[in-house]
Amino acid sequence: MAYPLQLGFQDATSPIMEELLNFHDHTLMIMFLISTLVLYIISLMLSTKLTHTNTMDAQEVETVWTVLPAIILILIALPSLRILYMMDEIDNPLLTVKTMGHQWYWSYEYTDYEDLSFDSYMIPTSDLKPGELRLLEVDNRVVLPVETSIRMLISSEDVLHSWAVPSLGLKTDAIPGRLNQATLTSPRPGLYYGQCSEICGSNHSFMPIVLELVPLKHFEDWSTSML
């Protein structure tokens, strides 16, 4: 999860988030090089009165400054399209969880089980135990197995919501009457926090998401105890 005064992204916990971080660094480096070049040229023009007449009206220069930006855009677009297709790819999920957004809580249903569903409300500040996080803890966590392809079906029963877990690279809108889906995979266990990322009313800030990823054996024990 994020820590105070953090400037960058949260640590990646899924292969998709690792790809997103690499793409961010790749694009940021291109932008840095372009900005440096433009700043250098501007400072050069302002600091000297000399003008090279051959560059004022040259077909070669116009060709370069037309073709070069096109090449740069291609270098940005190709990795971006690759990641977009990877994010939409859902290959034989082993578990499906349906998430419904409400004002102002989340409800979850494990569709592969006959009767496994629950609501997830934020724990009020006055009820927090030592070490628990304000505005992020819930009374019922979403328990999922690690190293498993999981499909999340996301919708809403009232207004627009957005189910987002930054460390997993997930952010999917919950729209009334529409069923969106996202894929989720994590190679290591842990607690991962998120929040509703769509302004949905007065208590928008009080819709946290907590995923507890555990080994498969622990998940089976938990699911058995919930049935």
Side-chain angles (χ1 to χ4, degrees), residues 108-121:
Y108 299 94
E109 179 183 351
Y110 291 71
T111 59
D112 299 289
Y113 295 83
E114 185 174 352
D115 188 20
L116 181 51
S117 61
F118 52 85
D119 296 331
S120 181
Y121 290 86

Side-chain angles (χ1 to χ4, degrees), residues 120-150:
S120 181
Y121 290 86
M122 186 195 76
I123 298 178
T125 304
S126 58
D127 296 337
L128 289 175
K129 299 176 182 177
E132 293 185 334
L133 302 170
R134 178 177 174 270
L135 300 183
L136 287 178
E137 297 292 348
V138 296
D139 54 357
N140 290 310
R141 295 171 176 171
V142 183
V143 180
L144 300 171
V146 297
E147 298 181 339
T148 302
S149 179
I150 302 167

Side-chain angles (χ1 to χ4, degrees), residues 201-219:
S202 60
N203 289 335
H204 158 70
S205 302
F206 310 115
M207 290 183 63
I209 301 161
V210 183
L211 304 184
E212 183 177 353
L213 279 90
V214 298
L216 182 60
K217 178 65 169 62
H218 292 81
F219 173 76

